[in-house]
Amino acid sequence: MPRKVAVVGTGQTVCVMRREDASFPGMIYEAVNRALKDAELTLADIDAIVFGSSPEYFEGVNHPEKWCGEASGGFLKPQFRIHTGGTVGSSTGIAGYYHVASGLFDVVLAVTGDKLSEGPVQLCLSTVYDPIFGRDFACGAPSAVAIQSRRYMHKYGITEVQAAKVAVKNRKNACNNPYAQLKFPDITVEMVLNSPVISSPLRMLDVCPASDGACAMIFACEEKAKKITKTPAWVKGVSAVAEGVNYVNRDWAEPIALIKAAKTAYSQAGITDPRKEIDVAEIYEAFTYQELIWSEGLGFCGPGEGGKLIDEGVTEMTGELPINPSGGVLSTNTIGATAMMRQVEAALQVMGKAREVYEGKEYNRQVEGAKIALAHGWGGAIQFHNVMILSSNPD
Amino acid sequence: MEKVAVVGSAQTKYERKKESQHYGEMVYETVRSALDSSGLKIEDIDTVISASCDMLDGRSISNVFTAEAMGAFQKEESKVEEDGSFALLYAYMRLLSGRFKTAMVVAYSKGSESSPHSYTALMMEPFYQRPFGLDGLTSSALQARRYMDKYGITEEQAALVSVKAHKNAQNNPYAQIKMDLTVEDVLRSEVLSSPIKKLDASPISDGCCAVIIASEEKAKKITDKPAWIKGVGHYLDAYYLGHRDLAEAEACRLAAQKAYQMAGIKDPLKEIDVAEVYDAFSYQELMLYEALGFCEKGGGGKLMEKGFTQMDGELPVNPSGGVLSAHPFLAAGLARIAEAALQVSGKAEARQVPKAKTALAHGTSGVCLQANCVWILGR
């Protein structure tokens, strides 16, 4: 049995389209300080740092973990960088977990971020496509996911209305999250359906924004965790699975890497009926249709039943299994920090800390009595999936 | 703590330009031969950790494509975008956690398909430092000059490192630059950025290295000569060159201290039989002698002159020819570990240090030895 590890502190910056007042290291510094403050620790208590950010083309600085060395708290400390694309936030959280689970370190800070306002994001993402066979028709992330969405609609009869309901739910939820970028308190399905087409079937309101922001979380071993906080979020399961990029052999409506990652994480956490046993999930829905596809992959419903799941209100704040109380990726997407924000939000839920007063205003996205939460990360060319299960109970 | 060992490895021959191979093929071939070296099948590998760089591959999220080539399909996978020695560290952590029993670690790059100048120039701070035109070479030249000034290190002493490296490389089938040189040859070679001359600098290389590690029970089944991991340490130094005394590889010193503490090493010069270090520039090897505790501060030049680190010396350094004789970014640090493991397993063939029981391997990332990872392997 691996060593018990818990999340003991978290910190997020407010995410906006363009942070003009802070550099990339400045944002990292802000997130790190917020996490330290949350855990009531100082940098002297941190044994190691793990840093994560997305393609360095975004900020135009190679080895950004070096640039952010001091800001991340890494000066004359152990530090290295994880980079796995969209999953990088959760990959970095998982690496933070393994730093402690290995027994080499007791208290570890994981920090991620990106400043997407500083580079041409979709142009950079187009370089994911194969330089010889794929780049002639490379068209960023939305167009690839448009193909995935269309395939999913075709295979299971999912409708644009069902996808629009995801946008309505998450964009309303975002109003309860002080760190979220886009907030639409009065959004309707009609508004989504009438928003301009970005890449059919995806419309403007089906799509995530590009954000500037950073996120940090602190992992600790059992002994330390119990001293640091009364409400640790115990890491009960982690999995990060890759699949191939060989497009023609894949059915994008069937997330096989996610199915496998979920199976592994559930078995580690002793979960047999995810929909019943998990109280809240934060999943990486950069596009509306993906929340439905990933819900199927996570076993919240059967294959093709994602549309029904949203129709029946299961994933609403008042439903059986609320998904993305934070507003999810549709509301905020820094890429670098995005999947870590899922882990942080899931941790806040089981810590009972998903309600707070921020700059004088009260925000409440807490799922009452949440004990087990799931955090998911997606990345690569629709091929990497990370799952983390967090629990209020160490055993 | 779970015991973990290196049980297999493979390296490509390092070349200036691998024209006949796509980087995916290069990765596949290396992973394939690493499996063969240990008698394993890809099904026997529990997790795959890679080290690659978007800026070198010219492709965002570089593991998107190579995940398949390195056998990570439907496996637990992640990527460390650092020198391969750090990727090994993450794989080691995963095994120590007890969740995995075996790991494949892969690092590669094709220097020929990218610009090493841009690769390092883009590491520099964009607002205040980049306008000066600093890159890996020019900032290392500043470091070399500071080191020479502070400790009276001479160009001849640095040249001796190059002579040794290129001589040793002749015994390494994977090395790229093999030459019989004299100190005079090195001193007369073209000045790249004073005091660094062409033969003080590592070449541009294409290549890949793969290392397989396994936990105790598995390791003993896979091979009768595992190279056990005895200690590891990794540290980061300041980013701004002006915030450091460039003559001191402080982060390397801390990393070595940690690794020695884990491995129970008190007198490194005596207890370590062979070392493989990341000598991207000749003078850096001298600095590393000091940081690794092979000699006192400022004693690197003397240690070299006395022949301590020659093949027949007390502590041979870089029997493989080191990074001066082949420098595939990211793979170079992992190759140091592969070489160190071969030494303690007694499989280093013509470059074998007789009776090597304890080996040190060093990897670095960033410019001027900013991040360092030090490993101790033993029988």
Side-chain angles (χ1 to χ4, degrees):
Chain A
M1 271 294 285
R3 211 175 176 208
K4 282 181 187 164
V5 179
V7 178
V8 296
T10 67
Q12 301 180 65
T13 66
V14 170
C15 292
V16 293
M17 195 169 116
R18 187 176 176 86
R19 273 292 293 267
E20 293 196 344
D21 63 324
S23 64
F24 182 36
M27 293 190 326
I28 294 293
Y29 180 76
E30 196 174 298
V32 166
N33 276 323
R34 285 182 179 196
L36 287 171
K37 193 176 167 201
D38 182 45
E40 295 178 22
L41 295 176
T42 67
L43 206 48
D45 301 309
I46 302 295
D47 300 330
I49 285 106
V50 54
F51 183 92
S53 68
S54 278
E56 46 274 17
Y57 294 116
F58 287 165
E59 288 89 15
V61 177
N62 194 13
H63 281 296
E65 77 286 350
K66 307 287 185 299
W67 183 28
C68 297
E70 286 88 339
S72 69
F75 174 60
L76 293 184
K77 278 193 194 286
Q79 189 242 36
F80 66 71
R81 174 180 178 222
I82 300 285
H83 165 29
T84 59
T87 42
V88 66
S90 46
S91 298
T92 307
I94 289 172
Y97 162 81
Y98 279 115
H99 270 67
V100 181
S102 71
L104 292 175
F105 303 100
D106 288 340
V107 184
V108 170
L109 185 137
V111 58
T112 56
D114 263 317
K115 200 154 194 260
L116 298 185
S117 65
E118 307 229 333
V121 175
Q122 295 310 324
L123 180 70
C124 297
L125 287 177
S126 285
T127 69
V128 172
Y129 293 71
D130 186 277
I132 296 160
F133 301 109
R135 217 163 279 178
D136 289 347
F137 54 85
C139 38
S143 298
V145 177
I147 297 170
Q148 181 189 29
S149 304
R150 190 58 83 188
R151 167 69 188 150
Y152 179 57
M153 293 170 85
H154 173 76
K155 186 168 184 178
Y156 294 123
I158 301 294
T159 65
E160 291 194 359
V161 173
Q162 287 169 326
K165 285 179 182 172
V166 174
V168 171
K169 167 176 76 71
N170 292 359
R171 297 191 184 292
K172 280 188 175 167
N173 285 353
C175 301
N176 301 321
N177 179 2
Y179 311 106
Q181 179 179 336
L182 298 181
K183 303 176 186 194
F184 292 79
D186 304 316
I187 190 172
T188 62
V189 166
E190 288 67 38
M191 277 168 70
V192 181
L193 296 178
N194 290 327
S195 63
V197 172
I198 298 291
S199 182
S200 173
L202 302 175
R203 293 169 187 279
M204 178 81 99
L205 289 170
D206 286 312
V207 178
C208 60
S211 317
D212 286 0
C215 181
M217 62 200 301
I218 299 171
F219 293 88
C221 64
E222 185 173 15
E223 192 195 344
K224 297 266 179 157
K226 286 180 173 167
K227 280 185 193 152
I228 295 169
T229 172
K230 287 192 179 114
T231 57
W234 299 95
V235 181
K236 304 288 283 185
V238 291
S239 183
V241 176
E243 65 170 289
V245 71
N246 200 357
Y247 303 102
V248 290
N249 292 344
R250 298 168 66 198
D251 182 347
W252 277 357
E254 303 293 332
I256 54 170
L258 177 56
I259 292 165
K260 185 158 184 188
K263 197 177 152 196
T264 304
Y266 293 159
S267 111
Q268 289 169 357
I271 289 173
T272 50
D273 185 346
R275 177 150 155 192
K276 280 224 167 65
E277 293 173 61
I278 294 167
D279 300 312
V280 53
E282 280 283 339
I283 73 181
Y284 200 121
E285 38 48 290
F287 305 90
T288 50
Y289 293 86
Q290 288 186 324
E291 183 168 305
L292 308 179
I293 304 173
W294 305 153
S295 294
E296 295 175 18
L298 288 164
F300 297 160
C301 59
E305 292 175 0
K308 208 171 115 197
L309 198 72
I310 188 84
D311 282 342
E312 290 175 353
V314 175
T315 59
E316 299 284 345
M317 278 306 280
T318 51
E320 182 188 349
L321 171 48
I323 292 182
N324 292 339
S326 66
V329 185
L330 280 179
S331 308
T332 314
N333 193 1
T334 65
I335 304 188
T338 301
M340 180 174 278
M341 286 173 174
R342 309 281 70 72
Q343 293 174 343
V344 160
E345 286 290 329
L348 288 175
Q349 290 287 350
V350 299
M351 291 166 130
K353 286 161 74 172
R355 70 168 74 77
E356 64 200 291
V357 176
Y358 192 89
E359 290 185 348
K361 197 177 162 210
E362 202 179 321
Y363 294 87
N364 184 2
R365 57 196 183 283
Q366 180 70 44
V367 173
E368 287 308 321
K371 290 194 171 68
I372 297 181
L374 176 144
H376 161 251
W378 157 66
I382 316 195
Q383 84 198 100
F384 300 144
H385 285 280
N386 294 353
V387 175
M388 182 181 274
I389 308 289
L390 291 147
S391 169
S392 56
N393 184 353
D395 304 310
Chain B
M1 193 180 277
E2 178 90 55
K3 282 174 78 180
V4 175
V6 175
V7 296
S9 71
Q11 299 175 63
T12 57
K13 181 168 169 39
Y14 303 112
E15 294 171 291
R16 176 63 183 82
K17 190 170 187 166
K18 282 186 181 293
E19 273 183 308
S20 64
Q21 272 185 329
H22 182 275
Y23 65 98
E25 292 174 292
M26 187 175 80
V27 167
Y28 174 79
E29 184 187 272
T30 316
V31 168
R32 176 73 263 165
S33 46
L35 287 169
D36 292 343
S37 81
S38 53
L40 294 174
K41 293 193 167 64
I42 196 64
E43 296 77 35
D44 300 319
I45 301 295
D46 295 338
T47 182
V48 178
I49 307 290
S50 60
S52 59
C53 174
D54 293 5
M55 282 204 178
L56 288 168
D57 285 5
R59 199 166 176 186
S60 283
I61 326 176
S62 43
N63 56 330
V64 158
F65 175 75
T66 46
E68 272 171 303
M70 53 195 141
F73 178 73
Q74 291 267 309
K75 280 198 196 299
E76 292 278 344
E77 183 263 1
S78 198
K79 189 187 92 181
V80 175
E81 192 150 322
E82 300 267 6
D83 175 64
S85 53
F86 293 86
L88 182 74
L89 176 59
Y90 186 21
Y92 178 54
M93 287 175 185
R94 286 185 160 215
L95 263 56
L96 287 180
S97 78
R99 285 216 197 276
F100 306 99
K101 301 291 177 203
T102 54
M104 171 74 74
V105 184
V106 189
Y108 70 89
S109 70
K110 277 191 117 175
S112 69
E113 293 186 6
S114 50
S115 154
H117 161 71
S118 305
Y119 172 69
T120 57
L122 289 169
M123 287 182 202
M124 308 312 292
E125 196 278 330
F127 306 111
Y128 300 103
Q129 291 201 330
R130 219 181 275 173
F132 293 109
L134 284 171
D135 66 359
L137 173 67
T138 50
S139 48
S140 296
L142 290 174
Q143 182 175 44
R145 189 58 79 190
R146 165 70 187 149
Y147 178 54
M148 291 165 76
D149 281 354
K150 184 168 183 182
Y151 292 121
I153 301 292
T154 64
E155 293 192 42
E156 286 79 2
Q157 288 169 332
L160 282 169
V161 175
S162 174
V163 173
K164 167 174 75 71
H166 295 103
K167 184 177 159 204
N168 289 353
Q170 297 175 37
N171 295 322
N172 179 4
Y174 311 117
Q176 179 180 334
I177 315 258
K178 311 178 185 202
M179 286 187 288
D180 277 316
L181 294 174
T182 62
V183 167
E184 205 55 18
D185 292 333
V186 180
L187 295 178
R188 277 198 205 141
S189 63
E190 177 195 351
V191 174
L192 299 179
S193 181
S194 174
I196 295 174
K197 295 161 292 294
K198 192 169 182 186
L199 290 170
D200 287 313
S202 51
I204 296 168
S205 311
D206 288 357
C208 178
C209 178
V211 167
I212 301 174
I213 57 173
S215 55
E216 186 170 12
E217 202 184 319
K218 286 261 183 183
K220 286 180 173 166
K221 279 186 193 152
I222 295 167
T223 172
D224 52 4
K225 287 177 180 169
W228 298 102
I229 295 172
K230 302 279 193 180
V232 60
H234 72 297
Y235 277 84
L236 179 76
D237 211 330
Y239 177 65
Y240 289 92
L241 301 178
H243 289 181
R244 295 193 245 161
D245 178 347
L246 286 177
E248 309 294 340
E250 182 62 13
C252 179
R253 192 181 63 79
L254 290 170
Q257 266 181 6
K258 174 93 177 283
Y260 293 160
Q261 191 193 357
M262 248 177 103
I265 287 177
K266 295 195 175 62
D267 184 349
L269 188 63
K270 284 227 164 61
E271 293 175 64
I272 295 166
D273 301 311
V274 53
E276 281 283 339
V277 304
Y278 200 121
D279 56 336
F281 299 97
S282 57
Y283 75 90
Q284 278 185 348
E285 183 168 313
L286 305 179
M287 287 182 63
L288 290 170
Y289 294 167
E290 300 169 21
L292 294 169
F294 300 165
C295 59
E296 74 286 6
K297 281 187 179 183
K302 286 264 158 41
L303 197 76
M304 184 70 236
E305 275 177 351
K306 288 180 187 161
F308 268 72
T309 57
Q310 298 285 358
M311 274 309 276
D312 56 358
E314 193 170 331
L315 170 46
V317 175
N318 289 351
S320 66
V323 178
L324 280 176
S325 71
H327 190 185
F329 289 120
L330 311 176
L334 192 60
R336 305 281 67 73
I337 292 145
E339 286 291 328
L342 290 175
Q343 289 287 352
V344 295
S345 303
K347 295 176 181 170
E349 299 175 342
R351 58 198 185 284
Q352 180 69 47
V353 172
K355 295 180 190 161
K357 283 191 184 127
T358 304
L360 177 144
H362 161 259
T364 186
S365 173
V367 298
C368 295
L369 303 167
Q370 193 191 346
N372 295 265
C373 192
V374 175
W375 293 83
I376 303 295
L377 302 178
R379 272 199 202 163

